[in-house]
Every structure is written in C-alpha cells, then in structure tokens.
Amino acid sequence: MRTESFGRLEGSTERRYGLQWVLGSGLLALCAAAWLLGGGPGWRGDAWLAIPAVLLLYVALLARWPGQPDPPVWQRLAVPASVLVLPLVQWLPLPLWLWHALPGRAPIALALAQAGVTPAHPAWSITPQRTEAAFWALSVPVAVYLATLLLPPLWQRRVLVLALAVGLLNVILGLAQLQSGGDPALFFYWGSDGAVAEGVFANRNHLASFLVALIPMAMALWLDERAGAGGSSRWSLRQSVLVLAMIFLAVGVTATQSRSGFALLMGVLVACGLWVMLQQRALGTVSNRWLQSALVITVLLIVQYTLYGLLQRLGADPLDDLRWLFARQSLRVAALTHGWGWGIGSFVQAYDLIGDASADQAFYVNHVHNDYLELWLEGGVVAVLAVGLAIAFLAVRWGRAIRGWRRADGTGSLLAVGAGLSLLALLLHSLVDYPLRTTAIEAYAAFLTALLLGDRGAAAVGADAPPRAASTVPAVAPLPLAANDPVLFSESSPLLLTPVSHPSIFFSRKDFHEK
C-alpha cells in the first residue's frame, strides 16, 4: 500500500514536469519563429507558423498535470473562441439568396451577373480565401496565449527573456541597417524605407512598436530584482543587464525614425519613471545614481547615432501624412455595408470599390494605418463591440493588478502591471498604424494578455481577498500518520499542489521501508 502511494506520487511528479517541458519548449519555439519570421505583410513564413501553432494549441487544450492551476473556463476557451469565431463565420459558405441579401453585395452581384459568373464560394467575406488565411494566422497568437496561461511563472519568464533577446537582436540589426545607407542585403523585405532601422520587420513603425512594448516588461523584471534585494543599493549582474537592455531598446526605437514610436517611447519612459518612484517608496529610499547614469548614457547614444535622422522626420508636417486620406476613404467603403463588414482580410479588395478615388493614387494601399478603422471596415459592428469589450475588461484587470502590486510586491503582479502598460502602448500605436496586423506583434500581445489575465494577485484583489497569507503550505501530519493516509497521497491531494510535496524532503524510500 505504501509503495503504491509513493509510485503514484513520483509518477505524477515526472508526468507534470514532462508535460510542462513539452508545452514550454513548444511555446519557446513558436514565439522565436513568430518574432523572427512573422514581421512581414503576410509573408510565406506566416502561413508555415500555423502548423506548429495548431499542434501547440492541441497540446495546450489536452495537457493536464497534478498541481496545475486550472484557469477559469472563460480564460481557457472563451477568450480563444472570441478571436477565432468571427473569421470562421465569415468564411463559411452561405446560400446564394442570403449572400445577395447582405448589404453592399448588390454591386458585386450585378457585375458578376453581367460577366456571366456565379460566385463559387458565396460567403459573408468578399474574399473567403483571405479570411481563411486570417483564421489560420490567428491560431498563432491563440496558441501563445493558451500555452502561456497554463505554464508556471518560470516558463513565462523564460519566454519574456527570449522576447528581450529578440528585441536586442533587432536593435543591433537596425543600427547596422541605419549605418549601411540602405544596403538591401541587410533588409528582410523588399520595399524598405531606405537607410532606417527595420530589424526583421517590414515596417519601421512595427519595429518601434515592438521595442517600446518590451521596455515595461524589462522594467518589471528589474523591479522584481530590486524587490528581491530588499531595496539594497547594490546592483546584481541581472539588474545591470536589464538596465543595459532598456538603454539599447530606447536607442533602437529612435533609430527607426518613427514619429509615433518616439512619442510612445516618451510616454512609456515617463510611466516607468513613476513606477520606479512608487516601488522605491514602498521598499524604502534607494539611491537613483545608477538610473540617472543610465539616462545619461541613453541620451548620449541617441545624440551620437539616431538624433539627426529623427529630427528630420519630426520636422515633417503631420497633416501631410496620407493616413488621414486613407481613413476618410475607408470610412466611405465601410459605410456601404451598414455595419456588417466586408470580411476579415478583405481590405484591399474592399478599398478598390471606391473606384477612381483609389485609382488616381500612385501608391499601393494595403492597410488603413489604423487598426480600429480597418476592423470596422472588415468586421463591422460585431468586431468593434468585441474589441471594445475586450479592451474594457483588460483595463479592469490592469487596475486590479496595480492594486495587487501596491498591496503585496508579488512577481506575478509586477509582470501583470508591466503587461498592461505594454498592451496600452500597442493599443495607442494602433490608432496611427497597424501593428496588430503583424504576426510577430500579435504573438507578443497574446503573451502579454495571458500574463495580465492569468495574474492571481489581480484575481484575488478582484474577489476582495486578503493581501497574501504568510504561508500557503498546508500543515503536514506526523510521519507515521501521513505515510499511511491514502487521501494525502492521492492524485487530488493538496500536498501535490505545493513544492514541499516531494517525498525526498521528508524521508527517503529506503528509510521508509526500514520502518
């Protein structure tokens, strides 16, 4: 009886770490591929990412191990379903009479009838093949979200370190692109903007958005290190590395010469400065000379390498930007559907419906440069309401995470606060560009969302729970009683939920058999 109990205990522990390793390794591999290959406008690499994403999603949906915190059903199923259901519904075939009844389809049906053509795949979307491609592309952020939600904090931190490493790689490549004078050999995609930093992205604004969204997470890790040091003025190696990473990320943002990216950088740096002040006040007074030195180094590097090009970009009149023209014409196209939308991924074909207004332009328009307007054009009222509710809910969770961080300095709360600030930067940048149409940034945003929604400190504050108990380890029965109690060593035992549940902590198998 006793031997069987220990067999079940050790087997469940091995199974737990085995499943975590499979899920965590798959998440790291998918994130690395998405952040390195998913920076283009629908490049072929994005389509290949759907294959490992579906496999990881399958593992995440089935993986269960003893001691795993079971997220609520709405986090595990409702959130991914809300992302995938709209493109799936828009892609499914419709009866021909229903397709004719959709607003805005009459001119298309008339043109097809005059040409003697019957729609081969009548669907809500006017380009079902692009909507299907969008559905499979969205499997990448969904898989990243679900795997991050299920994994313990150790694996989440590993993914975060990987993101920072990819960001620094982008900075190094971007500075090389900036100094090369536009050498095509250093750019991953054709049609680059010339001698500017783009990294592995096809758009300098998207690189700026990615780098800015990394800075709050690096700050969260740094604050966690400071909290672990108890407010000591001495810096560890990891703290120094994180500060250097933030310096290079800030320099990389200015190297992109993105006006919106620079504005976001200033806002994020101010928010991080206030965050540091509040954290130091909670831990006691700590010298700021290291942070002041880091700020001076950042300014010197920006002046030396990136300031001149950025000032040239800032000197341009924002009113001359074509984003306003795209926005006005996109609203005209969207109005034709009366709020039903043209289908996810169908912007290019829908934009051509305005006729001469787009034909007279000497440039190719593939996006509105406003994620919200493009979502309104493609998804209609349903998509806008869903995104609005999601943003409101994320704001509520971020507020709870901030209150949880102020009550108790937990690592989860710090990462959740940083994730909320990073998501805010991405959402603000979406007003003037389309970062969330890029697979790489979609995957990173999904990772941040999982950190924010999966924060236990935020959930506890939302439930009006006490700040944090002094100890969450259950009392252990005396050795003779515990060894003979089958309830304590069953698969549902509360001892399996704690790190002290391994039998080697209490006694060895040999000693037990001797007793």
Side-chain angles (χ1 to χ4, degrees):
M1 177 64 181
R2 297 172 181 176
T3 304
E4 293 177 357
S5 299
F6 281 114
R8 289 196 301 269
L9 182 61
E10 292 183 347
S12 62
T13 303
E14 294 175 358
R15 177 171 174 264
R16 175 182 64 185
Y17 288 110
L19 287 174
Q20 286 183 3
W21 187 88
V22 171
L23 191 61
S25 301
L27 176 60
L28 286 172
L30 180 61
C31 287
W35 293 333
L36 293 175
L37 303 178
W43 182 55
R44 186 177 300 173
D46 295 0
W48 286 105
L49 290 176
I51 299 175
V54 172
L55 293 177
L56 182 63
L57 186 61
Y58 179 77
V59 174
L61 289 173
L62 297 182
R64 291 292 180 270
W65 53 81
Q68 175 190 359
D70 194 16
V73 176
W74 66 268
Q75 289 185 2
R76 288 187 290 110
L77 300 178
V79 172
S82 64
V83 175
L84 297 174
V85 66
L86 182 59
L88 179 62
V89 171
Q90 290 181 335
W91 170 67
L92 293 176
L94 297 176
L96 194 57
W97 64 268
L98 183 58
W99 181 78
H100 281 282
L102 290 175
R105 273 50 174 190
I108 301 176
L110 179 60
L112 291 175
Q114 292 176 349
V117 177
T118 302
H121 186 95
W124 181 346
S125 173
I126 61 173
T127 56
Q129 68 279 8
R130 290 184 175 270
T131 304
E132 181 187 4
F135 173 81
W136 293 113
L138 286 172
S139 64
V140 176
V142 168
V144 170
Y145 163 82
L146 193 56
T148 304
L149 189 68
L150 295 175
L151 286 170
L154 175 62
W155 281 101
Q156 295 174 354
R157 292 169 72 95
R158 289 172 179 172
V159 177
L160 182 53
V161 171
L162 174 64
L164 293 174
V166 173
L168 294 177
L169 177 63
N170 274 279
V171 173
I172 296 173
L173 178 59
L175 291 176
Q177 293 168 341
L178 184 66
Q179 299 298 322
S180 69
D183 185 2
L186 294 176
F187 291 87
F188 277 43
Y189 303 93
W190 63 273
S192 63
D193 293 331
V196 297
E198 293 182 354
V200 298
F201 289 82
N203 188 311
R204 59 183 171 188
N205 294 308
H206 295 167
L207 175 59
S209 183
F210 182 67
L211 297 180
V212 168
L214 285 172
I215 293 177
M217 300 309 299
M219 180 61 71
L221 289 178
W222 183 82
L223 289 175
D224 176 53
E225 292 291 330
R226 301 295 293 166
S232 173
S233 58
R234 300 183 60 183
W235 277 33
S236 65
L237 177 61
R238 284 183 291 186
Q239 294 176 39
S240 303
V241 170
L242 287 170
V243 169
L244 289 176
M246 286 185 279
I247 291 174
F248 280 101
L249 290 174
V251 174
V253 173
T254 59
T256 62
Q257 301 177 11
S258 170
R259 292 172 295 178
S260 56
F262 181 73
L264 284 176
L265 175 64
M266 294 298 101
V268 165
L269 291 180
V270 170
C272 289
L274 294 175
W275 193 9
V276 170
M277 292 176 57
L278 293 174
Q279 181 78 355
Q280 289 184 350
R281 184 176 300 177
L283 296 176
T285 57
V286 179
S287 174
N288 291 323
R289 64 181 183 275
W290 293 108
L291 286 179
Q292 293 170 356
S293 301
L295 180 61
V296 171
I297 294 174
T298 304
V299 173
L300 290 176
L301 290 175
I302 290 175
V303 171
Q304 179 68 25
Y305 293 104
T306 63
L307 182 62
Y308 179 72
L310 179 61
L311 290 178
Q312 288 183 320
R313 285 280 296 164
L314 293 177
D317 186 3
L319 295 179
D320 294 337
D321 203 324
L322 294 171
R323 289 180 174 87
W324 309 113
L325 175 63
F326 299 159
R328 290 195 301 270
Q329 294 180 351
S330 298
L331 288 174
R332 288 177 51 197
V333 177
L336 299 176
T337 66
H338 304 290
W340 283 86
W342 294 103
I344 301 298
S346 62
F347 169 77
V348 175
Q349 287 71 23
Y351 193 80
D352 290 340
L353 295 176
I354 60 178
D356 295 337
S358 62
D360 294 340
Q361 298 169 355
F363 42 82
Y364 176 70
V365 182
N366 61 342
H367 288 286
V368 186
H369 291 266
N370 184 315
D371 270 334
Y372 306 101
L373 283 181
E374 189 164 345
L375 187 67
W376 165 252
L377 184 148
E378 295 181 346
V381 175
V382 177
V384 171
L385 286 179
V387 170
L389 291 175
I391 293 176
F393 185 73
L394 288 175
V396 172
R397 296 287 295 191
W398 190 30
R400 293 178 179 178
I402 293 175
R403 293 199 301 271
W405 158 67
R406 296 298 301 274
R407 292 186 181 185
D409 297 325
T411 303
S413 294
L414 284 170
L415 294 182
V417 173
L421 183 57
S422 297
L423 284 172
L424 177 61
L426 293 176
L427 292 174
L428 289 176
H429 200 193
S430 296
L431 290 169
V432 293
D433 212 274
Y434 52 99
L436 294 179
R437 296 277 174 166
T438 305
T439 303
I441 301 181
E442 284 178 347
Y444 184 58
F447 172 70
L448 297 174
T449 303
L451 291 181
L452 183 55
L453 295 184
D455 179 44
R456 298 182 185 178
V461 173
D464 296 328
R468 182 176 293 183
S471 176
T472 58
V473 180
V476 181
L479 180 58
L481 176 60
N484 290 277
D485 191 348
V487 177
L488 293 177
F489 288 95
S490 65
E491 291 291 331
S492 59
S493 169
L495 289 176
L496 296 180
L497 302 179
T498 65
V500 301
S501 62
H502 198 279
S504 62
I505 295 180
F506 299 103
F507 43 79
S508 66
R509 183 188 296 265
K510 178 181 179 182
D511 294 336
F512 179 77
H513 283 300
E514 289 177 354
K515 291 179 180 295

